[in-house]
Amino acid sequence: TLAAFSLGKCKRWLQIFYDDTARRQVSITNVGVRVRDEHDRFKTICLDAAIISEDSTSETQSNAVIASFTEGGKRLGEWRKITEAMYPGRPDLLDLIPDPDSMSVVKLLGGSVGTDTCNGAQLSNRLTREKIIHIAKEAGIPEYKLVIWECFCHHHIRNVVCDKIVETGQDELAVLMSDDLEIVPSHLRVSTNISSLL
């Protein structure tokens, strides 16, 4: 609820990032949101750290991510109802709690959706982006504002690039040293596998 409160106070979200991990054959997804707060500072707010969706398909994961924002809006609505019941005639207190509509994923327009680089995550990323744009269209947002960028985790991209560089270097080294490697006894375990050196 406090995460929804913080997100609801922000006029615009810069990025949502989510990642999936498995524990004991159960898929768990976390959702973080990058915002610029009212003091013009960048913050990352964890909206949900343990979404357990029906299955681990990209479609279900994407639905669960979108639903986490809807759930945040419901919690704000409940908070407002309780506050109104406990403190009747105090609209100043209600003004402090964001409206449930402040948790609309449409606030991400102009921002980005990010995840890691595996195929399933890329599909989920694309589906989430498409769903947000669909929600924005239904809300009557003009076509020219329907922009959300897809991005991928820098660390995952770095690993993909580095792995390819290492793989290419190993292949080149194996060709270059093929005659010498045949002479070295196998029990010495000499190879061109760079990862073995690390």
Side-chain angles (χ1 to χ4, degrees), residues 44-59:
T44 301
I45 299 167
C46 180
L47 177 61
D48 200 328
I51 298 172
I52 301 176
S53 48
E54 293 176 35
D55 56 43
S56 57
T57 63
S58 298
E59 178 74 29

Side-chain angles (χ1 to χ4, degrees), residues 111-180:
S112 64
V113 178
T115 188
D116 66 31
T117 55
C118 71
N119 291 336
Q122 287 185 34
L123 175 58
S124 181
N125 206 26
R126 203 166 27 260
L127 291 171
T128 302
R129 180 186 165 277
E130 289 169 4
K131 288 173 187 179
I132 294 170
I133 287 176
H134 178 74
I135 292 167
K137 281 181 181 176
E138 287 184 339
I141 305 293
E143 190 76 30
Y144 73 93
K145 289 187 176 180
L146 301 178
V147 176
I148 297 178
W149 305 100
E150 286 182 54
C151 62
F152 302 104
C153 173
H154 170 72
H155 296 297
H156 284 85
I157 291 173
R158 181 191 64 204
N159 290 341
V160 169
V161 170
C162 289
D163 286 350
K164 196 62 179 171
I165 290 169
V166 167
E167 183 183 309
T168 303
Q170 288 173 180
D171 294 347
E172 293 284 328
L173 195 56
V175 169
L176 184 65
M177 298 184 65
S178 62
D179 294 338
D180 296 326

Side-chain angles (χ1 to χ4, degrees), residues 29-44:
T29 305
N30 60 36
V31 180
V33 185
R34 185 85 167 150
V35 299
R36 181 177 280 168
D37 69 12
E38 64 274 9
H39 304 293
D40 212 28
R41 294 177 301 202
F42 290 106
K43 284 176 141 180
T44 301

